[in-house]
């Protein structure tokens, strides 16, 4: 028996920071009703991808409802980002049969990125492609067993950071452009740019917070940039 949707949602909601709303939806049983503009956007897609897209939207609507935001079409921008309602920031991820969405008010968070990875399905060869020498070093220092969670963690942390920063900067970063380190506290990580930030909008990225949680065979990462006065 894998991790059930309800348990996944409960565990993430117990763990998540305040003022962020996170919801989960099963890809195979999403009931999301596309509006005509959304139908145009998914026209010609593979049925599996349409179900995944619908499940992400359904999770997003559930998460928005918890913030008191009424349902509205969630169109996809030309750069593939979800076009969140005015005053809202958020992020969507899918992994296998699970889709998750996280949203918050822009008065609390300027940027949010989430990513879910199934650890047993993570191809080790990806680790070699995405990791910097410094990252390989700290992962090896954890001991030989740790690569099983640390490799998908590294990938997920970079993906969630990418999603958190992109709507703010439009910077198309590669995997070697940022360096991930574990934080001093378990469950936290830091992300540093490995080169000068393309937009100079965030000359150092110390404002971004990284958090992770292991959920049986899954790793979930959350990258956040708090609003200044929150
Ligand atoms: C965009 C990207 C991060 C998506 O990640 P993924 O693991 O392929 O897929 P996930 O299921 O986790 O996330 C997909 C969702 O991300 C969101 N997304 C897509 N492009 C995005 C962007 N530029 N910024 C923020 N979110 C984006 C969408 O909501 C998408 O789902 P949807 O199309 O159903 O709405 C990835 O495909 C990508 O292009 N990465 C760029 C390289 C990279 O990650 N570098 C890391 C270095 S920092």
């Amino acid at each position: 028996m894998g991790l059930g949707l309800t348990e996944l949602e409960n565990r993430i909601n117990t763990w998540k920071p305040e003022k962020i709303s996170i919801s989960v939806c099963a890809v195979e049983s999403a009931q999301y009703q596309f509006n005509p503009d959304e139908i145009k956007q998914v026209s010609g897609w593979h049925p599996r991808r349409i179900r995944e897209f619908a499940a992400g939207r359904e999770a997003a609507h559930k998460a928005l409802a918890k913030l008191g935001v009424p349902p509205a079409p969630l169109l996809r921008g030309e750069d593939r980002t979800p076009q969140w309602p005015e005053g809202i920031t958020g992020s969507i991820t899918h992994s296998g049969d699970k889709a998750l969405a996280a949203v918050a008010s822009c008065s609390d968070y300027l940027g949010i990125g989430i990513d879910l990875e199934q650890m047993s399905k993570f191809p080790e060869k990806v680790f070699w492609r995405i990791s910097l020498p410094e990252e390989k070093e700290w992962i090896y220092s954890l001991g030989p067993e740790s690569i099983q969670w640390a490799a998908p963690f590294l990938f997920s942390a970079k993906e969630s950071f990418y999603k958190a920063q992109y709507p703010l900067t439009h910077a198309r970063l590669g995997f070697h452009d940022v360096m991930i380190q574990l934080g001093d506290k378990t469950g936290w990580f830091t992300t540093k740019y490995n080169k000068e930030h393309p937009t100079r909008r965030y000359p150092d990225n110390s404002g971004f917070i990284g958090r992770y949680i292991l959920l049986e065979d899954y790793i979930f990462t959350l990258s956040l940039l708090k609003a200044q006065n929150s």
Side-chain angles (χ1 to χ4, degrees):
M1 268 286 283
L3 182 64
L5 269 259
T6 310
E7 192 188 347
L8 175 67
E9 184 156 298
N10 288 344
R11 286 180 63 184
I12 286 182
N13 275 294
T14 310
W15 162 86
K16 70 168 181 61
E18 279 183 355
K19 298 184 178 172
I20 295 178
S21 173
I22 302 183
S23 287
V24 178
C25 181
V27 170
E28 291 309 321
S29 56
Q31 304 288 317
Y32 188 74
Q33 298 294 318
F34 288 118
N35 93 329
D37 289 332
E38 288 170 320
I39 291 175
K40 271 190 226 149
Q41 293 202 312
V42 302
S43 152
W45 288 11
H46 191 281
R48 158 82 203 173
R49 176 65 181 112
I50 295 178
R51 284 197 295 277
E52 186 183 70
F53 188 76
R57 264 58 193 167
E58 187 164 318
H61 273 206
K62 278 166 62 185
L64 287 165
K66 288 192 263 178
L67 289 185
V69 179
L74 191 48
L75 295 175
R76 182 186 202 240
E78 280 183 10
D79 55 8
R80 297 171 48 201
T81 55
Q83 303 299 289
W84 298 103
E86 188 74 29
I88 297 290
T89 183
S91 180
I92 292 174
T93 184
H94 329 90
S95 180
D97 62 343
K98 297 170 180 37
L100 286 90
V103 293
S105 163
C106 294
S107 56
D108 296 317
Y109 288 96
L110 298 178
I112 295 185
I114 60 171
D115 186 76
L116 184 74
E117 297 296 329
Q118 190 167 5
M119 292 187 281
S120 59
K121 294 209 170 146
F122 186 78
E124 198 178 315
K125 64 178 184 216
V126 173
F127 169 66
W128 300 107
R129 188 165 58 78
I130 63 157
S131 51
L132 294 164
E134 295 86 340
E135 292 166 335
K136 289 190 183 84
E137 201 174 305
W138 70 251
I139 287 175
Y140 292 148
S141 75
L142 298 173
E145 298 297 308
S146 299
I147 194 149
Q148 283 166 7
W149 74 268
F153 158 73
L154 189 71
F155 179 81
S156 183
K158 291 189 185 206
E159 291 277 72
S160 65
F161 175 74
Y162 182 86
K163 292 184 196 173
Q165 63 82 40
Y166 180 85
L168 301 166
T169 63
H170 294 113
R172 294 188 186 279
L173 302 171
F175 285 100
H176 289 188
D177 292 336
V178 299
M179 193 190 299
I180 304 290
Q181 284 177 319
L182 291 178
D184 296 336
K185 280 195 287 180
T186 305
W188 295 71
F189 66 90
T190 60
T191 313
K192 287 198 166 69
Y193 295 112
N194 198 28
K195 65 176 183 190
E196 199 171 348
H197 192 273
T199 66
R200 294 170 183 263
R201 186 161 168 188
Y202 297 103
D204 82 20
N205 56 343
S206 54
F208 282 90
I209 303 164
R211 303 224 13 214
Y212 69 92
I213 181 170
L214 292 165
L215 300 152
E216 295 187 14
D217 190 25
Y218 289 87
I219 185 138
F220 180 70
T221 60
L222 173 62
S223 288
L224 301 167
L225 182 65
K226 275 191 172 183
Q228 270 181 350
N229 299 322
S230 74

